[in-house]
Amino acid sequence: MTLRIKAVVENFVRELKAALDADIQEGIMKEREMRSYLEEREREVAEREAAWRADLGRREAEIAKQEARLKVEQENLEKEKSVLMGTASSLDHQDGALEITVSGEKYRCLRFSKAKK
């Protein structure tokens, strides 16, 4: 009888070890799968981030170009304004002279005639 009990116990221990080994192997496989999945997700996120940063760089460069163009246009406008606004005429002088100011320079004309067509 003791041999029979011993055989049953040994068989139970063998089956238990096999079940434990199978559980351990399954856990190892699941861990590998999870690690592989996480690595793939990290790679995808890194690729999206790199693409986003590249797009951001392109947009910033475009903004810088447009700002430079706008600055040039504003400077040109200021130049045009100074030429147009800088021309001021005055006939308030006692001698009847015409005074013109262009870009801060004053010019006086005592006589002037009509332009010929």
Side-chain angles (χ1 to χ4, degrees), residues 3-115:
L3 284 176
R4 200 168 164 198
I5 293 174
K6 188 176 178 183
V8 168
V9 169
E10 285 176 356
N11 189 29
F12 175 74
V13 169
R14 260 194 315 264
E15 288 175 1
L16 185 61
K17 281 184 179 180
L20 284 173
D21 285 344
D23 283 349
I24 290 171
Q25 289 299 322
E26 186 178 335
I28 290 171
M29 291 301 291
K30 283 184 179 180
E31 185 179 334
R32 285 181 185 162
E33 288 173 4
M34 184 59 72
R35 201 174 306 139
S36 175
Y37 170 77
L38 290 175
E39 287 171 357
E40 179 63 27
R41 290 290 296 140
E42 287 173 350
R43 192 171 24 258
E44 289 173 2
V45 168
E47 287 172 359
R48 282 201 322 264
E49 181 183 8
W52 178 81
R53 288 187 186 280
D55 187 45
L56 179 63
R58 283 190 297 274
R59 288 180 183 192
E60 287 173 342
E62 182 61 30
I63 288 170
K65 278 190 222 175
Q66 289 178 358
E67 285 176 343
R69 269 190 240 133
L70 180 60
K71 185 178 179 182
V72 168
E73 287 181 29
Q74 286 175 335
E75 289 171 357
N76 289 340
L77 177 61
E78 289 300 318
K79 287 177 187 175
E80 288 178 33
K81 275 174 52 177
S82 72
V83 168
L84 294 174
M85 298 297 287
T87 305
S89 302
S90 174
L91 292 170
D92 292 342
H93 301 287
Q94 290 178 353
D95 59 1
L98 174 65
E99 188 174 282
I100 301 172
T101 305
V102 178
S103 300
E105 295 287 327
K106 288 188 177 186
Y107 299 94
R108 285 176 52 94
C109 179
L110 293 174
R111 293 176 72 192
F112 59 92
S113 60
K114 242 183 179 178

